[in-house]
Amino acid sequence: MSDTRSPQPLPTRKPTQHLERFSEADIPTSRGPLRTVVFRDRRNGREHVALVAGDVTGVEGVPVRIHSECLTSEVFGSLKCDCKEQLDRALDFITQQGLGVVLYLRQEGRGIGLGNKIKAYALQSKGLDTYEANRQLGFADDLRSYDIAAEMLRSLDVRSVDLITNNPLKIAGMVEEGIPVLRRIPSRTEHNPHNLDYLRTKRERTGHLIELFAEDDDTEAQAG
């Protein structure tokens, strides 16, 4: 399992206080028990969920996945992205380790919502890539924010994290919000003919640390 050192410290924003810790319960799952904590955003009523394995209170280096909702893949089985695989692997990882958190954020389509996401898919079928489609609809490349994730982790009393991600912006976002990132745990998934261009675009356009082919592993081994 490879890792990456945390980035240089960034200015820390003042902690947000947008969330109400609304409800929680232990839920038996196919992977084992998970404490499920629901946070409600006071600004818009949107509910976000922390799935917790083990006791993370006051712990350093907690494995954490910040995962944005993806109804199309997680429920409908769409092959246009790798979101469901990333969610499944993160849940597998924290339950196997007996410690960790998956934050499930209601930020469909990198924050543009389900309806606009489907509009973007229609544009992609005409040859635009995922970022070009979002821009044509009038959106920035990524509207997600990580203040909510940081507030959830503070509420859980997580002191620092090992972030399960391929996205350098998530690492920077956590540090900026005052959550120390000790290392990166790669989120490896299998590609398919329907999402290969999407994954390549994320890697080439926004620096996602995605390993698509066997030679990626060879290059990493030679470098490290």
Side-chain angles (χ1 to χ4, degrees):
M1 179 172 62
S2 61
D3 59 56
T4 302
R5 292 184 181 275
S6 60
Q8 292 297 314
L10 297 172
T12 302
R13 294 176 178 171
K14 183 178 180 180
T16 56
Q17 295 183 338
H18 300 314
L19 296 182
E20 171 191 5
R21 190 159 167 168
F22 187 73
S23 59
E24 58 188 278
D26 293 329
I27 295 180
T29 77
S30 59
R31 297 176 172 87
L34 288 169
R35 184 157 57 100
T36 303
V37 184
V38 177
F39 294 86
R40 180 170 289 178
D41 192 325
R42 295 187 179 96
R43 298 166 297 178
N44 53 30
R46 190 171 295 167
E47 293 179 335
H48 307 278
V49 183
L51 300 166
V52 184
D55 185 359
V56 299
T57 305
V59 178
E60 303 278 358
V62 175
V64 170
R65 165 79 184 162
I66 303 170
H67 188 88
S68 296
E69 175 184 33
C70 183
L71 183 74
T72 50
S73 73
E74 294 158 4
V75 177
F76 302 148
S78 168
L79 298 176
K80 285 183 64 64
C81 63
D82 62 343
C83 299
K84 185 179 188 305
E85 282 188 75
Q86 291 199 71
L87 177 61
D88 286 343
R89 293 198 177 196
L91 289 170
D92 287 343
F93 185 84
I94 68 169
T95 51
Q96 289 164 7
Q97 296 291 312
L99 184 75
V101 181
V102 171
L103 302 179
Y104 192 85
L105 306 184
R106 309 301 296 276
Q107 300 186 137
E108 182 84 42
R110 292 197 296 273
I112 68 175
L114 179 60
N116 285 315
K117 177 181 178 180
I118 299 303
K119 285 185 177 181
Y121 280 176
L123 292 172
Q124 289 171 39
S125 70
K126 298 177 182 178
L128 276 64
D129 69 33
T130 181
Y131 298 108
E132 292 167 343
N134 279 18
R135 290 171 190 168
Q136 185 158 320
L137 292 172
F139 298 108
D141 288 349
D142 195 333
L143 297 178
R144 292 175 296 182
S145 63
Y146 300 108
D147 57 332
I148 290 298
E151 190 172 343
M152 293 167 76
L153 291 172
R154 281 190 287 269
S155 178
L156 296 170
D157 196 20
V158 170
R159 300 300 175 84
S160 61
V161 303
D162 292 346
L163 202 60
I164 305 170
T165 188
N166 298 326
N167 186 352
L169 293 178
K170 285 186 181 178
I171 299 172
M174 283 291 90
V175 174
E176 189 174 2
E177 295 294 341
I179 302 296
V181 179
L182 302 188
R183 65 176 179 138
R184 180 182 75 89
I185 300 173
S187 181
R188 294 190 174 98
T189 61
E190 300 293 331
H191 59 271
N192 66 65
H194 303 282
N195 68 19
L196 184 56
D197 286 343
Y198 165 78
L199 297 175
R200 280 180 171 148
T201 298
K202 288 208 299 184
R203 185 168 72 169
E204 294 167 5
R205 295 278 291 273
T206 53
H208 279 61
L209 305 170
I210 297 172
E211 299 161 12
L212 293 176
F213 306 106
E215 54 263 33
D216 292 329
D217 290 328
D218 295 339
T219 301
E220 181 179 298
Q222 294 168 9

